Amino acid sequence: MNAFNSLVHTIASQSESSWGIFELFKSKFGGSGWSSSESWAIGDLHSLMAASADNAPAFIAAFWDGCEEVRGQYPEVGLPDVDIVNGILFDHGVPYEIRPPELLPRNPQTPIPVQAPEKSIGECAVELIHASLDQADRLLLEQRPRQAVQEILWLLETVSTAFQGIDTGTGTVAGKYFNDIIRDLRAKHPGRTLAEALGWMTKMHGFLSSPPGGGVRHGTQLAADVSPTLKEAHLYCNLTRSYIGYLLAEIADLNSA
């Protein structure tokens, strides 16, 4: 609520008619009549927004309707775009997003949780993993599917490097890059679930890397205009999340052996 109230102040500060803008937003949040002064209008608006905050969809709709009315009445005033509003909702854990002209539940597909074993890979690595996962979620929220898949695919490649030099019981993992590491791990664990899972990862990684396939890793052919849809991006991101979680668990087991 405070973040949106601050946005209203930012909007109003751009106009000589700031009092009128506060009154406009007041009406959207259920206020009637003008306050006796601009300072009272500011206080009344804050109270009205606080009283409306329990109903998230109605609150968001009221704020957005206010912005749309400001756009018509005060064309000189800059307004927050959809990404800014959705970013605030995401940062505060509000499960809705604006896709004009609709307000929709955010991400009906719940992301697969990834638990990073802190003792086995280090504090900096844990922070990197969580930051990258959060960035992928934000990109999905902003309806940027290609960038979301690129982010989480990069994280899969990065996590795989934690196997470098690990003694798996059947030999030490060599290689510096994703394909080399995965190939070496599969060769050292034939017939095991690990080998099968690594095969699935390799197939998905190869498809997404291929220009005529997913086209998110090494570029795509301009004429083909290959780009994942939002629902495909959710699929790729959730698959990759599950692979990352599995790899991290394997790393933890090998490090504790």
Side-chain angles (χ1 to χ4, degrees):
M1 186 275 289
N2 287 329
F4 283 110
N5 185 261
S6 294
L7 274 184
V8 174
H9 279 260
T10 300
I11 293 167
S13 68
Q14 301 173 63
S15 174
E16 294 181 358
S17 304
S18 55
W19 185 355
I21 292 177
F22 286 122
E23 294 291 349
L24 184 155
F25 277 99
K26 260 182 54 185
S27 69
K28 297 299 179 181
F29 285 94
S32 60
W34 278 53
S35 302
S36 57
S37 67
E38 182 173 346
S39 61
W40 275 106
I42 291 171
D44 291 341
L45 172 63
H46 188 277
S47 297
L48 288 165
M49 293 178 80
S52 303
D54 286 341
N55 188 333
F59 183 98
I60 299 163
F63 175 81
W64 191 256
D65 286 347
C67 289
E68 291 300 293
E69 191 164 322
V70 169
R71 190 188 312 279
Q73 293 189 25
Y74 305 92
E76 77 281 2
V77 171
L79 293 165
D81 61 17
V82 170
D83 288 346
I84 289 175
V85 175
N86 284 338
I88 292 173
L89 297 175
F90 180 85
D91 290 342
H92 290 81
V94 183
Y96 296 95
E97 60 184 271
I98 295 174
R99 297 185 194 173
E102 297 181 305
L103 174 65
L104 301 172
R106 171 165 37 88
N107 294 349
Q109 300 183 43
T110 303
I112 293 172
V114 175
Q115 299 297 326
E118 300 187 15
K119 293 183 179 179
S120 64
I121 61 173
E123 184 177 344
C124 290
V126 171
E127 290 178 359
L128 181 149
I129 288 167
H130 289 310
S132 187
L133 291 171
D134 288 345
Q135 176 67 2
D137 285 344
R138 180 181 291 278
L139 290 166
L140 287 173
L141 171 65
E142 294 174 356
Q143 300 183 59
R144 297 164 64 189
R146 179 193 296 277
Q147 292 89 340
V149 177
Q150 285 174 329
E151 179 68 27
I152 205 161
L153 199 63
W154 171 85
L155 182 58
L156 176 65
E157 295 169 347
T158 302
V159 167
S160 73
T161 64
F163 284 95
Q164 289 178 16
I166 286 184
D167 185 355
T168 67
T170 56
T172 301
V173 178
K176 295 182 178 181
Y177 303 107
F178 177 81
N179 286 326
D180 294 334
I181 292 169
I182 298 303
R183 191 180 302 114
D184 197 16
L185 276 171
R186 292 190 72 191
K188 289 178 168 58
H189 299 84
R192 284 188 49 194
T193 299
L194 176 59
E196 289 299 315
L198 291 171
W200 302 332
M201 291 180 212
T202 303
K203 186 172 183 178
M204 183 194 71
H205 184 273
F207 172 76
L208 292 174
S209 298
S210 170
V216 301
R217 179 64 176 80
H218 296 301
T220 186
Q221 297 169 344
L222 287 176
D225 191 26
V226 175
S227 182
T229 64
L230 193 59
K231 66 180 179 182
E232 290 169 343
H234 277 286
L235 171 66
Y236 298 143
C237 286
N238 271 335
L239 281 172
T240 309
R241 278 176 168 269
S242 67
Y243 293 146
I244 289 170
Y246 179 68
L247 288 180
L248 289 171
E250 283 289 330
I251 292 166
D253 288 345
L254 289 171
N255 281 330
S256 63

